Amino acid sequence: MDDDSLQARWERRTEVPLALASLLYLAAYGILVLARTLPAFWRDLSLVVLLAAWALFAVDYAVRWRLSGRGLSFVATHWLDTLVVVLPLMRPVRVVKLYEAVRRRRGEGRLTLYTRVIAYAGLSVGLLGFTGALSVYHFERGAPGATMRTFGDAVWWTCSTLATVGYGDIAPVTPMGRLIAVGIMACGLALLGTVTGSFSSWLIQVFAREDEERPPGG
């Protein structure tokens, strides 16, 4: 039975608008980082969109905290949401919930568990890769001794880091760039473990089902 609490109803009503706000946040940040030659008006507009989306995330967090009635324990049990408010560049990853929300509103069935895991992991990798490349490039470009000179370099470094390969031809040199690198490494390991574990579990279930259906002595 679906949770009908005030907090659950708030989350159901806001998940699609917040997902769209996350995409706007990412687009605005991308413009500020990459389109440095744009007229000042468009850059200022992007900054306004960025700050407005950030404020929306903070209001959503505050409302859910208030509706939960759990005090400071809400912060501890919702550490990822807290991190997203402090580091809103992580927010676009939650866009992966948008597809499921739209399906539920249309009355369509949910995807199977393993399909959801694979789909969410794939979308998360794409969004994490793009946001990671943007953020690390923001801090690395122009830094003394930086090997990450273009956004293409940042994308290449992010892909190799998420894949846990780490060629070492490009590496961040600034403190913030290295901090972002640690986060991307952790996310890459977590996503790889999630997909591998889900796929292994699915294979085990398939083999177990085949054994159950096999005639005795077959």
Side-chain angles (χ1 to χ4, degrees):
M1 184 175 180
D2 290 340
D3 186 358
D4 198 40
S5 64
L6 287 175
Q7 182 183 349
R9 279 185 283 172
W10 170 268
E11 291 176 353
R12 287 196 295 268
R13 290 173 182 173
T14 58
E15 58 187 349
V16 174
L18 286 173
L20 296 177
S22 300
L23 291 177
L24 286 175
Y25 182 95
L26 182 58
Y29 184 68
I31 290 172
L32 290 173
V33 173
L34 300 177
R36 289 181 288 175
T37 59
L38 272 182
F41 170 79
W42 294 109
R43 291 184 60 81
D44 291 343
L45 180 61
S46 298
L47 182 60
V48 169
V49 171
L50 191 81
L51 295 176
W54 195 346
L56 189 62
F57 303 152
V59 169
D60 170 66
Y61 181 83
V63 170
R64 288 191 293 117
W65 187 354
R66 178 71 178 84
L67 292 177
S68 70
R70 300 175 60 183
L72 290 177
S73 64
F74 177 86
V75 179
T77 56
H78 293 73
W79 61 270
L80 181 57
D81 294 322
T82 307
L83 178 63
V84 163
V85 173
V86 177
L87 300 174
L89 269 178
M90 294 294 293
R91 180 79 201 197
V93 176
R94 301 194 64 176
V95 168
V96 297
K97 298 175 62 179
L98 180 60
Y99 179 66
E100 285 284 305
V102 172
R103 289 175 65 91
R104 288 199 302 273
R105 293 191 177 192
R106 291 179 178 177
E108 299 175 6
R110 291 170 62 88
L111 298 173
T112 64
L113 173 62
Y114 301 114
T115 304
R116 291 206 310 274
V117 169
I118 299 299
Y120 283 12
L123 287 171
S124 297
V125 166
L127 288 168
L128 273 173
F130 186 63
T131 56
L134 272 178
S135 54
V136 77
Y137 179 61
H138 181 194
F139 292 102
E140 288 294 309
R141 65 182 180 192
T147 57
M148 198 176 297
R149 298 183 178 86
T150 66
F151 182 63
D153 291 339
V155 172
W156 166 251
W157 171 82
T158 305
C159 290
S160 64
T161 303
L162 275 174
T164 67
V165 176
Y167 286 105
D169 54 340
I170 299 173
V173 296
T174 64
M176 279 302 301
R178 289 174 176 172
L179 182 61
I180 293 168
V182 171
I184 292 177
M185 291 174 195
C187 290
L189 288 172
L191 287 169
L192 182 63
T194 299
V195 174
T196 304
S198 178
F199 185 67
S200 301
S201 178
W202 175 74
L203 284 178
I204 290 172
Q205 288 195 12
V206 170
F207 294 150
R209 192 179 305 117
E210 288 181 353
D211 288 340
E212 290 174 359
E213 294 174 354
R214 185 177 303 163

